[in-house]
Amino acid sequence: MVNDGEVHIARAAVYHAELFIFILNLSGARVMAYVVTETCIRCKYTDCVEVCPVDCFHEGPNFLVIDPNECIDCTLCVPECPVNAIYAEDDVPENQKQFVAINADLAKSWPVITEKKPAPDDASEWENVPNKIGQLQR
């Protein structure tokens, strides 16, 4: 069980992170967003959303995306993804670059997800399947 002190500390950390991003934006500096790539399609493990301090994940029918305008480059989500589908924008593999735009576009219309949900029943069957872009349900 989380106590009130832990909640206060977490809220303070989010506030300071958001303030830092605001100041960076005013200065013209660019914050690198993280990107969910093709490996997530049809797996949609949601371990990553629980650790996000700014609720930047959005959920579609069979895929998650990160809102690049909300992501604060904290890296907390990266090790939580069991299929290694999350990359820093500058590190997205060349054959996955289209997912930078896909994340930005779909984040505008998909709802925010903040709590872990069970993965689809067949998620493990899709973990190592390549070329899943055609499976993406928008």
Side-chain angles (χ1 to χ4, degrees), residues 56-61 63 65-69 101-113 137-138:
C56 67
F57 281 89
H58 294 254
E59 180 184 25
F63 186 59
V65 296
I66 294 174
D67 183 338
N69 296 317
I102 289 170
N103 276 244
D105 181 49
L106 296 177
K108 294 174 187 172
S109 58
W110 285 357
V112 171
I113 177 174
Q137 297 173 6
R138 295 172 184 252

Side-chain angles (χ1 to χ4, degrees), residues 19-135:
L19 180 61
F20 176 72
I21 297 304
F22 177 76
I23 292 169
L24 281 176
N25 286 335
L26 284 178
S27 72
R30 183 176 171 272
V31 176
M32 182 182 353
Y34 277 73
V35 177
V36 181
T37 59
E38 183 175 46
T39 310
C40 180
I41 297 172
R42 299 222 39 185
C43 292
K44 201 172 95 171
Y45 294 105
T46 56
D47 307 57
C48 52
V49 304
E50 279 192 320
V51 297
C52 181
V54 293
D55 302 337
C56 67
F57 281 89
H58 294 254
E59 180 184 25
N62 67 350
F63 186 59
L64 299 173
V65 296
I66 294 174
D67 183 338
N69 296 317
E70 294 295 325
C71 180
I72 60 169
D73 190 24
C74 71
T75 75
L76 293 174
C77 58
V78 176
E80 296 301 317
C81 179
V83 293
N84 300 312
I86 303 172
Y87 292 86
E89 186 175 344
D90 291 346
D91 296 333
V92 173
E94 199 59 42
N95 67 342
Q96 300 287 301
K97 293 286 187 188
Q98 71 269 29
F99 283 91
V100 174
I102 289 170
N103 276 244
D105 181 49
L106 296 177
K108 294 174 187 172
S109 58
W110 285 357
V112 171
I113 177 174
T114 59
E115 295 180 1
K116 183 176 177 176
K117 295 180 177 181
D121 292 337
D122 63 346
S124 62
E125 296 170 31
W126 288 95
E127 286 179 8
N128 297 310
V129 175
N131 305 315
K132 296 189 286 186
I133 187 73
Q135 296 288 324

